[in-house]
Amino acid sequence: MKKRDKVKSSLILQFTWIIFVSFLISMLIALFATAVMRWAGIDFRAFNTLLIMVLGFAVSLILGTFFAVLFFRRSVDLADDLKGALKRISKGDYSVRIENKSSNKDGLISDVIENFNKMVEELNSVAILRNDFISNFSHEFKTPIVSIKGYAELIKDGKNLTEKQKQEYLQIIIDESKRLSNLATSTLLMSKLDSQTTLQETEIFSVNEQIKQCVLILDNELKAKNLEVKIKLGKMRVNASMDMLQQVWINILTNAIKYTKEGGQIKISSTQMEKEYVVSISDNGIGMNEETLKHIFDKYYQGDNSHSTSGNGLGLSIAKRIVELSGGKIVVNSVEGKGTTFSVRLPKLEEDYFPARP
């Protein structure tokens, strides 16, 4: 049954109950009056039948009105509370809440109040995310622009600069320009993913082969830090967006390379469950503290600044969103100073379901 139909049925039921109670009380009063007249020896037949009917109707009407006023007074109070609350919300105040004064916690009024408070909480969360996004986005864009401007001015005005200094400054400008371009691309991708409910252009492909290709793509970065990669993957077939899922592995592996010390190790393994695959990517890098773990998937969050390197803080946010749109889940476990493990759970193809191994 639709919500609107439930509300309508509830109102009809309560109206019917008020009329029934009013009629029942009127009948009891009539029976009581009859008993009193008989006890007093009054000839009941002497009364005009029509008059009795009119009196009974009048009593029912008065009682019904009384009970209806009691019932609808709560509704009017709720309407006034909602009006005031909506006025505050329209001015940007999302701290407003409506107190549930109803004795029936499962009734219609309680449902309205509960859903309204939930709505305000969601609006408050959205407002916080929007403000954080604007603040972080502005900061991330402003930093490389200021850097580019500063070094460009040094090159322009620096008559005494050596050729080596000029080349160093130009390289910084190139790197910061690349960073700015990557940030814009990542921001647009994140915005696109946030507006989607499912991934487009899905296909069936082998995840284990895709991960191996991603390792090859990052070969130069791995060699630059002399990192060892151990791969132990079983066969895994999924129905997902190949390009998007590749972005997930690239982002997680890039994060592992970034925070693993030179000469470290990265392990990639998989586990086959009854209805899903679990891909684990582990490193023996610097790890994360509890505070960083709480925000690791937040947009633009880059963890401990003392270990911060180049990046825009969107890689893991994008990875998490892609995995969710693929029907999966991503979790992270980490011990500070010992390393981090990202586990990606992806649904198997239905035709590949089989009982989980003991």
Side-chain angles (χ1 to χ4, degrees), residues 293-333:
L293 277 173
K294 290 178 183 178
H295 302 282
I296 191 63
F297 294 113
D298 292 353
K299 298 173 186 176
Y300 299 108
Y301 186 78
Q302 298 189 55
D304 187 354
N305 291 329
S306 64
H307 297 115
S308 181
T309 58
S310 60
N312 53 48
L314 282 175
L316 294 178
S317 300
I318 290 172
K320 181 175 184 290
R321 183 58 181 160
I322 292 173
V323 171
E324 290 175 343
L325 289 174
S326 301
K329 184 179 181 181
I330 181 171
V331 295
V332 57
N333 293 292

Side-chain angles (χ1 to χ4, degrees), residues 27 37 42 64 102-104 116 124 135 145 158 166 169 185-186 193 208 214 223 226 232 266 278 281 293 299 322:
M27 291 296 296
M37 286 188 290
I42 300 174
S102 175
S103 58
N104 183 9
F116 177 85
N124 188 49
S135 176
I145 290 175
K166 287 182 180 179
Y169 295 166
T185 302
S186 297
L193 292 172
N208 48 296
C214 291
K223 287 181 178 178
N226 192 29
K232 189 177 181 180
I266 296 174
V278 182
I281 300 177
L293 277 173
K299 298 173 186 176
I322 292 173

Side-chain angles (χ1 to χ4, degrees), residues 202-219:
T202 61
E203 57 184 300
I204 297 174
F205 62 94
S206 174
V207 175
N208 48 296
E209 293 300 324
Q210 185 183 57
I211 294 174
K212 292 176 183 178
Q213 290 175 3
C214 291
V215 173
L216 291 175
I217 291 172
L218 297 171
D219 186 59

Side-chain angles (χ1 to χ4, degrees), residues 26 29-30 86 152 162 231 268 293 309:
S26 297
I29 292 174
L86 289 171
T162 64
I231 303 176
I268 307 173
L293 277 173
T309 58

